[in-house]
Amino acid sequence: MEILPNASYLVIHGMGGIGKTTLASAVCNRISKQFQEYSFLLDVRDVAQRGRIIDLQKQLLSEIFQGRSLETFYSVNEGINIIRERFRDKKVLLVLDDMDNWDQLSQLAGESNWFGPGSKIIITTRNINFLSIKEKDRQFKFYELTGLDSKHSLQLFSRHAFGKDFPPDDLDDISCRISSKTGGLPLALEVIGSSLCNKSKRFWKETLKKLDSEPKQEVFNKLHISYGLLDHHQREIFLDIACYFIGKERLYPYYMWKACNYFPESDVLVLSRMSLIKIVENDTLWMHDQLRDFGREIIRRENINNTRMWSRLWEPEIAFRVVQMKQGTDKIVALRLTGLSKVHNFTDEEFSKLPNLRFLELEGGNLEGDFENLLSKLTWLSWSCCPSELKAKNLCLEKLAVLELSESDITEDWTGWGSCLMSEDLKVVQITRCPNLKRTPDFSKCSNLKRLVLQDCTTLLVVDGSLSKLERLKHLQICVMVLPERDVMFPPINLATLSHLRTLEITCVKPRSLMGLPSSLEELTLYDVESPIDRSLFSNSANLSSLCLCKCRLGEVEFDDVLGQQLEKLCSLEVRDGELLERLSVARLKGLRRLSVFGCPKLMDSQFLEELKSLEALSIHECSSIRLLPQLSELRNLRRLHLKNCPLQNLSDLRLPDTCHLMIEGCGAFPSFDGDYKKWKDTLSGPY
């Protein structure tokens, strides 16, 4: 914190598991409000090894510009030029986590003059040798993170072993001895402490004996003690996450693991309680990079000298070499074949050597030949730049649980793809970024489908009538990029027949094109609405609790009227990117607990807020015509008020509960603030 003002780049370095990412995150949270925008790019090293630096460039641009549409680009050099051009006048904070190569830095933040004055770049790395920095280069400052001392090591260990800062008297001595064996490494303290929670004294003594027998700084062997406590299914899930699912939503691999007859609900809970993985924001799987590398080292040690005997091949070039040379074995259960330098059409002969393959990622190319009795155990197929016509003959993916297709020229024929839609185990179909898609496939054989996602298709789209037969469907997303005179077209089907549907996200230019919603529906998002919403749409929505209106092209929305008798049911309402919206009628939504209004520059009236007496959270961002807020003194249940980039003039008149969390940023003459209302009220030094 003290050296940041004097340098453009801060490099936090130290061994894996020492807490570099945690420290960078804490610094970012503390100082991010001093910058116009910020971006946190995780696991740069791992993403770069997969040849996906361009994805990080796109993430950086998306986070800094908050998802606003930018020009598309297809090469790293194009990305560099766009970053230079777009950021040169912006004061930004950028965190590049876990770097190990100069090229990574040069492609994301190569020069400080790419960014506006006062910008800061924080880098975390295990090894600073790749940074060829001259001693006199004052742009770079270095901070080495070392292990915890004995006092803090014992405290962290105790929190995970006992749920408090110190051990009980009868375990005090052995706790001190075990914590001292970790070398002050926070990750090892957390993992070993978690693995000892509620275990017998005999187990504790056995663990200490194992630690005594290992070299003092051998992190692998320390982590292996906890890994050794897992059963077979738990180990398989841990290794899958380490190789393929870090940063992925938990639900999709859940379906895959269930199809493999694992028990993901309980097994993932065990892994989480042992601190081997974490479930973070948006139900995402996360794993410390040291644990990721530990998991991959487990696989390498299956046969150090022969990659064809590894169970998982996560590095595309290694995987491609094994497949192309027809060296596959029954040991291999998962392959990643993305980001290859050349497009390759894979043959039946190549995959005949992989009888136990259950996970496959492809990019480009095709499948050719007779695939009868091949890929019979495949439960996951993810294919980007997939072909419009699948050439494989006699392919039958009867165990498939997850199918992801993207960036294809598929139009409406779906020639050859029917074999991927025959599995009774199929739970997820996700089709994204297919600009020529005209018709969805026939879903009639996917009777157990739970999630269907059709996203970013940019042409006239007809949804096949078989959709109405998906009675077990829980999540439906049909979101296209709206172009002039183009719309989502529905045949005469009634969504009300989807009796288990809980979540619906749909581009809905003309709401009347929907013939009704099921009574099971709990969450609804409507995109690009441009004609009035009729009350009949919600006539059967007895359980609707969350409604989002995004990119609304209406001047007024009468929620009080269109929701009819559902006024007491709805507890969350979000209105986003309503460029034409001038009036929002919600005063009668007495049960509303959360209200968010983002990007509505013409919206002026805010007096209705005083009527929402059940409101617990209120967020108003980027509403440039709202200048006055009511006192909000009637909102006695309000717990959170976030105001951003609104030219408000009377914030000093607010009357909120003292414990309400108040966040103010870019609101007229009022300084930024993030804390309890009482503290903000006490610090006011006079009218603004």
Side-chain angles (χ1 to χ4, degrees), residues 396-652:
C396 182
L397 303 181
E398 59 184 14
K399 295 293 185 181
L400 195 65
V402 177
L403 175 64
E404 295 182 328
L405 304 176
S406 63
E407 300 175 82
S408 172
D409 290 329
I410 294 174
T411 56
E412 56 184 326
D413 294 335
W414 291 94
T415 304
W417 287 101
S419 58
C420 298
L421 298 165
M422 302 286 286
S423 170
E424 291 187 359
D425 287 327
L426 191 61
K427 299 298 191 298
V428 176
V429 172
Q430 179 168 302
I431 303 171
T432 59
R433 301 187 301 281
C434 295
N436 299 310
L437 187 63
K438 294 181 179 180
R439 177 181 287 275
T440 65
D442 180 359
F443 299 114
S444 58
K445 300 294 179 62
C446 312
S447 57
N448 293 312
L449 199 65
K450 298 290 185 68
R451 292 176 69 92
L452 174 59
V453 176
L454 307 168
Q455 189 173 15
D456 293 340
C457 304
T458 56
T459 188
L460 193 68
L461 179 64
V462 175
V463 179
D464 190 83
S466 58
L467 175 66
S468 63
K469 299 178 182 179
L470 301 178
E471 296 181 357
R472 292 178 174 84
L473 197 67
K474 292 183 177 181
H475 178 103
L476 174 60
Q477 183 176 341
I478 307 176
C479 299
V480 304
M481 298 181 65
V482 175
L483 299 176
E485 300 180 356
R486 293 183 179 178
D487 193 5
V488 177
M489 301 295 292
F490 285 97
I493 62 172
N494 192 336
L495 293 181
T497 62
L498 305 180
S499 57
H500 287 82
L501 193 67
R502 296 178 183 173
T503 304
L504 173 62
E505 299 182 36
I506 189 166
T507 300
C508 189
V509 175
K510 297 177 177 61
R512 290 184 180 179
S513 64
L514 289 178
M515 298 179 62
L517 302 175
S519 59
S520 59
L521 196 65
E522 298 173 1
E523 301 177 13
L524 173 64
T525 301
L526 300 176
Y527 294 91
D528 297 289
V529 173
E530 67 175 21
S531 61
I533 303 172
D534 190 83
R535 179 185 291 195
S536 62
L537 181 64
F538 299 98
S539 61
N540 195 37
S541 303
N543 293 298
L544 189 66
S545 61
S546 176
L547 175 61
C548 176
L549 203 62
C550 188
K551 298 181 181 178
C552 168
R553 287 178 279 175
L554 299 175
E556 180 176 351
V557 180
E558 291 279 356
F559 283 110
D560 287 346
D561 179 58
V562 299
L563 292 176
Q565 300 301 313
Q566 315 306 329
L567 300 181
E568 298 296 329
K569 301 289 185 179
L570 196 71
C571 63
S572 178
L573 175 63
E574 179 176 324
V575 181
R576 180 183 292 273
D577 299 330
E579 295 185 358
L580 303 178
L581 192 65
E582 297 180 0
R583 186 171 180 273
L584 198 60
S585 177
V586 297
R588 291 169 55 201
L589 303 182
K590 303 301 183 183
L592 203 63
R593 297 201 298 269
R594 295 178 297 277
L595 174 62
S596 301
V597 183
F598 302 141
C600 299
K602 293 187 177 182
L603 185 65
M604 299 177 62
D605 180 28
S606 63
Q607 296 305 309
F608 62 85
L609 295 173
E610 287 280 22
E611 303 296 324
L612 304 176
K613 296 183 180 180
S614 297
L615 211 60
E616 297 175 2
L618 172 62
S619 298
I620 304 176
H621 295 184
E622 313 287 344
C623 294
S624 54
S625 295
I626 294 183
R627 302 184 183 279
L628 300 175
L629 283 180
Q631 290 185 346
L632 305 181
S633 57
E634 297 297 318
L635 306 187
R636 296 184 175 88
N637 296 314
L638 197 64
R639 299 289 178 265
R640 187 175 76 247
L641 174 61
H642 288 187
L643 305 169
K644 182 177 181 181
N645 295 341
C646 302
L648 297 167
Q649 299 173 355
N650 67 332
L651 287 184
S652 55

Side-chain angles (χ1 to χ4, degrees), residues 98-118:
D98 192 22
M99 301 188 75
D100 70 346
N101 188 288
W102 179 261
D103 287 343
Q104 298 159 10
L105 180 60
S106 66
Q107 292 163 352
L108 294 169
E111 299 287 345
S112 60
N113 60 15
W114 291 11
F115 309 94

Side-chain angles (χ1 to χ4, degrees), residues 59-217:
Q59 180 186 341
L60 171 59
L61 288 160
S62 176
E63 289 181 356
I64 296 296
F65 289 98
Q66 300 182 358
R68 294 193 292 274
S69 60
L70 298 166
E71 59 265 48
T72 57
F73 58 96
Y74 302 97
S75 74
V76 170
N77 287 336
E78 284 183 280
I80 290 173
N81 292 332
I82 293 173
I83 291 171
R84 282 174 173 165
E85 180 181 346
R86 290 300 193 105
F87 291 170
R88 60 190 176 193
D89 296 322
K90 276 188 172 290
K91 180 183 178 183
V92 302
L93 173 63
L94 174 58
V95 180
L96 305 174
D97 174 61
D98 192 22
M99 301 188 75
D100 70 346
N101 188 288
W102 179 261
D103 287 343
Q104 298 159 10
L105 180 60
S106 66
Q107 292 163 352
L108 294 169
E111 299 287 345
S112 60
N113 60 15
W114 291 11
F115 309 94
S119 294
K120 305 295 179 186
I121 297 94
I122 299 175
I123 297 168
T124 73
T125 183
R126 300 182 191 182
N127 187 347
I128 61 174
N129 290 326
F130 76 92
L131 291 168
S132 54
I133 308 300
K134 297 179 181 179
E135 292 183 7
K136 295 182 180 180
D137 192 340
R138 297 182 179 179
Q139 289 193 88
F140 284 81
K141 295 293 182 181
F142 294 83
Y143 181 82
E144 182 177 8
L145 199 56
T146 56
L148 299 176
D149 59 27
S150 58
K151 176 182 176 181
H152 289 104
S153 292
L154 180 61
Q155 183 182 52
L156 181 58
F157 172 83
S158 298
R159 285 179 180 174
H160 291 279
F162 310 111
K164 54 185 180 180
D165 287 348
F166 51 87
D169 292 341
D170 61 329
L171 292 174
D172 181 72
D173 179 64
I174 194 170
S175 295
C176 291
R177 293 172 66 188
I178 289 176
S179 64
S180 69
K181 300 293 182 181
T182 65
L185 189 66
L187 177 64
L189 289 161
E190 182 178 343
V191 171
I192 295 173
S194 297
S195 68
L196 292 171
C197 184
N198 296 321
K199 295 295 193 297
S200 66
K201 287 186 179 180
R202 179 181 177 182
F203 187 86
W204 279 62
K205 291 177 180 178
E206 290 175 353
T207 299
L208 178 60
K209 186 176 180 179
K210 290 178 181 178
L211 287 170
D212 281 334
S213 67
E214 306 296 351
K216 186 174 181 180
Q217 295 298 329

Side-chain angles (χ1 to χ4, degrees), residues 262-502:
Y262 299 167
F263 304 95
E265 290 91 346
S266 58
D267 290 342
V268 168
L269 182 61
V270 168
L271 295 174
S272 177
R273 287 179 174 174
M274 292 180 66
S275 297
L276 293 172
I277 67 167
K278 294 185 187 298
I279 308 298
V280 295
E281 187 177 5
N282 297 323
D283 201 35
T284 300
L285 295 166
W286 183 85
M287 180 183 288
H288 192 284
D289 57 2
Q290 186 75 22
L291 284 164
R292 176 199 65 203
D293 294 347
F294 163 76
R296 294 177 180 183
E297 183 62 20
I298 289 282
I299 295 167
R300 289 188 184 96
R301 295 190 184 194
E302 291 171 349
N303 194 314
I304 293 177
N305 297 318
N306 193 346
T307 57
R308 63 196 292 265
M309 302 303 291
W310 294 0
S311 60
R312 295 158 180 82
L313 300 176
W314 62 92
E315 294 185 9
E317 294 298 336
I318 293 176
F320 178 65
R321 189 162 57 248
V322 169
V323 175
Q324 186 185 36
M325 300 298 292
K326 303 180 181 63
Q327 295 179 340
T329 68
D330 59 1
K331 300 289 186 184
I332 299 173
V333 299
L335 290 174
R336 172 175 283 152
L337 292 161
T338 60
L340 300 172
S341 57
K342 292 183 179 180
V343 174
H344 183 76
N345 291 340
F346 294 97
T347 67
D348 52 352
E349 186 179 1
E350 290 168 335
F351 276 102
S352 67
K353 309 294 184 181
L354 300 162
N356 294 319
L357 195 67
R358 57 177 174 81
F359 176 96
L360 178 61
E361 281 189 358
L362 296 170
E363 183 175 1
N366 210 324
L367 299 180
E368 297 180 336
D370 188 349
F371 275 73
E372 186 174 8
N373 298 324
L374 301 183
L375 300 178
S376 60
K377 295 184 179 179
L378 196 69
T379 57
W380 180 295
L381 175 59
S382 178
W383 200 337
S384 61
C385 303
C386 57
S388 58
E389 178 181 348
L390 189 58
K391 295 182 179 180
K393 298 177 181 178
N394 299 317
L395 179 66
C396 182
L397 303 181
E398 59 184 14
K399 295 293 185 181
L400 195 65
V402 177
L403 175 64
E404 295 182 328
L405 304 176
S406 63
E407 300 175 82
S408 172
D409 290 329
I410 294 174
T411 56
E412 56 184 326
D413 294 335
W414 291 94
T415 304
W417 287 101
S419 58
C420 298
L421 298 165
M422 302 286 286
S423 170
E424 291 187 359
D425 287 327
L426 191 61
K427 299 298 191 298
V428 176
V429 172
Q430 179 168 302
I431 303 171
T432 59
R433 301 187 301 281
C434 295
N436 299 310
L437 187 63
K438 294 181 179 180
R439 177 181 287 275
T440 65
D442 180 359
F443 299 114
S444 58
K445 300 294 179 62
C446 312
S447 57
N448 293 312
L449 199 65
K450 298 290 185 68
R451 292 176 69 92
L452 174 59
V453 176
L454 307 168
Q455 189 173 15
D456 293 340
C457 304
T458 56
T459 188
L460 193 68
L461 179 64
V462 175
V463 179
D464 190 83
S466 58
L467 175 66
S468 63
K469 299 178 182 179
L470 301 178
E471 296 181 357
R472 292 178 174 84
L473 197 67
K474 292 183 177 181
H475 178 103
L476 174 60
Q477 183 176 341
I478 307 176
C479 299
V480 304
M481 298 181 65
V482 175
L483 299 176
E485 300 180 356
R486 293 183 179 178
D487 193 5
V488 177
M489 301 295 292
F490 285 97
I493 62 172
N494 192 336
L495 293 181
T497 62
L498 305 180
S499 57
H500 287 82
L501 193 67
R502 296 178 183 173

